[in-house]
Amino acid sequence: MATVHTAAGPVDSAELGKVLVHEHVFIVGEEFRQNYQDDWDEDAKVAEAVHDLAELKELGIDTILDPTVLGLGRYIPRIQRIAEQIDLNIVVATGLYTYNDIPFQFHYAGPGLLFDVPEPLVDLFTKDLTEGIADTGVRAAFLKCAIEEQGLTPGVERVMRAVGQTSAQTGAPITVHTNPHTQSGLVAQKVLAEEGADLTKVVIGHSGDSVDLDYLMKIADAGSILGMDRFGLDLLLPFEDRVNTVAELCKRGYADRMALAHDASCFIDWFDHEAKKQALPKWNYRHISDDVLPALRERGVSDADITTMLVDVPRRYFE
Ligand SMILES: [Zn+2]
């Protein structure tokens, strides 16, 4: 057992229940919102999120892990407002999301830079995990970084090494946004292991965008958890391919190395809201409960394996 900090306070890891390991509530750049999002209605957006997440709880999901970090518009007071109105646990993260460069807040300060100081990212991530985020009293419970098709750019490497070091020092688990088509999960495993992170505490996110079983088993055999975490993003990989891949990996004994999610959000400012709904009608919090679990059962995945992926793997991730 371990204590897991959520937006509404600490819970025991045994009480996380059924967990979706990668869901956003809002992806909203605050600078952009304040300058250009003229139609933003804070109360309406919060009410919509409360509705969608309460519905998810009614479908039997108890907890979401929200890896919305710096670069994606993390804003904890809004998450707190939502969390206090619902029964669902929202577990928040620290880290930094970039595919390329380090943001200017860190460009000139760090080891060997113009202002030669210890890595400031490690201090910020550690504070979020051990003391709390800003003055909200909410603690992050896991770390997040990204490596896309651009690969290990200097900015991506700096963030990833800081995430690895922070995990090694605090024991906090990690989620990495990866691109399985460039096999960037293997690069993430190598870099994080070099910094002392425990690979069994790492979700290699977006692995579910791939049907390459050799690649996926290689990641899992090194101990990490495959994030089968983009159900509903069918433009990137169709539904059938996603469920067949999970079913095949269950058949091969990998249920204890997989976790499920949609990578959905109530609102994301990257796309036009209505156009997104039309192009990706299943990209919402309900899809796994409504469609994916029945499809997995039809393909012979046992209830025990489903419980492993939804309950046991996320619980072990924090213990
Ligand atoms: Zn995401």
Side-chain angles (χ1 to χ4, degrees), residues 111-128:
L113 298 175
L114 182 62
F115 296 91
D116 191 356
V117 295
E119 179 54 79
L121 291 170
V122 172
D123 292 340
L124 295 183
F125 298 162
T126 302
K127 185 203 170 266
D128 284 353

Side-chain angles (χ1 to χ4, degrees), residues 2-3 12 26 28-29 35 37 46 48 67 88 100 113 116 136 139 142 156 185 211 223 232 249 274 280 301-302:
T3 298
D12 195 289
F26 291 107
V28 186
N35 285 280
Q37 202 98 51
V46 166
E48 227 175 281
L88 184 105
N100 292 293
L113 298 175
D116 191 356
T136 61
R139 284 206 223 173
F142 65 114
V156 164
V211 295
L249 286 169
E274 290 309 313
L280 296 160
V301 175
S302 67

